[in-house]
Amino acid sequence: MRKIDIIVPITEYTYDELSAEDRRLVDMAREATYRSYVPYSHFHVGAAIELDNGEVVCGSNQENVAYPSGTCAERSACFYAGARYPESKFVKIVVAARGTDGEFVSEPVAPCGACRQALLEYEQLAGRPVPVILCGKDSFRMLPSVASTLPLAFTEF
Ligand code: THU
């Protein structure tokens, strides 16, 4: 018998403790929440993905009356990045959200399982860890990689 513990290192920052570059990405992810289309959940999510070509690609959740046809902010951003800049590698991912009251959520929101899976593949294409920043109202959690958000991921067959 062998016991295996998986530890996910998370560093929490205040806005002022973030680097200027990370603050810019946070601001862009937050701005993207205002471009969500969320008539059903009224939960606004934004994602900003920094690419190694210097571009930052943003996405927001886009819902549909046939609920499963909608998509999360993270997947709209990562698929747009892949479609628009297929040669570019992901550098960093930032996720922000506003609740049904329109305010930024106090507790940082984490990507759903499907988004983690989708993002993981782009991290593998990048060939190096892609840090993820999860934004709360006043606290920002940095994870070292997408892989750290999805332990025991399915990656190949
Ligand atoms: N949502 C995201 O955009 N990203 C997540 O990581 C979690 C959930 C969206 C899906 C749906 O439009 C709304 O938030 C409520 O679940």
Side-chain angles (χ1 to χ4, degrees):
M1 196 264 251
R2 192 161 75 97
K3 188 165 171 289
I4 301 170
D5 292 322
I6 297 175
I7 295 169
V8 180
I10 301 174
T11 312
E12 193 167 87
Y13 298 90
T14 63
Y15 186 80
D16 290 341
E17 286 170 342
L18 292 169
S19 68
E21 177 54 32
D22 286 351
R23 283 199 298 269
R24 175 171 167 260
L25 294 173
V26 165
D27 293 347
M28 292 178 85
R30 286 179 156 179
E31 279 166 25
T33 67
Y34 291 95
R35 297 189 290 272
S36 64
Y37 172 65
V38 290
Y40 307 105
S41 73
H42 303 285
F43 189 73
H44 311 259
V45 187
I49 300 176
E50 182 188 359
L51 303 175
D52 70 350
N53 66 356
E55 296 286 337
V56 178
V57 171
C58 293
S60 54
N61 50 336
Q62 301 293 318
E63 299 183 346
N64 188 272
V65 64
Y67 291 0
S69 303
T71 192
C72 293
E74 298 89 329
R75 272 177 288 164
S76 74
C78 78
F79 292 147
Y80 175 52
R84 179 70 180 81
Y85 301 108
E87 306 300 331
S88 296
K89 293 175 172 160
F90 285 24
V91 172
K92 197 168 281 181
I93 300 165
V94 181
V95 182
R98 288 184 298 113
T100 51
D101 60 0
E103 300 294 322
F104 287 111
V105 292
S106 46
E107 274 294 296
V109 158
C112 75
C115 286
R116 296 177 200 204
Q117 181 74 35
L119 293 168
L120 181 63
E121 194 139 333
Y122 291 96
E123 176 169 80
Q124 290 180 321
L125 288 171
R128 55 179 174 248
V130 176
V132 180
I133 298 177
L134 308 175
C135 305
K137 192 165 179 293
D138 302 309
S139 60
F140 302 84
R141 293 190 185 141
M142 172 110 60
L143 290 93
S145 62
V146 177
S148 69
T149 73
L150 191 62
L152 306 179
F154 175 71
T155 53
E156 56 188 74
F157 62 92

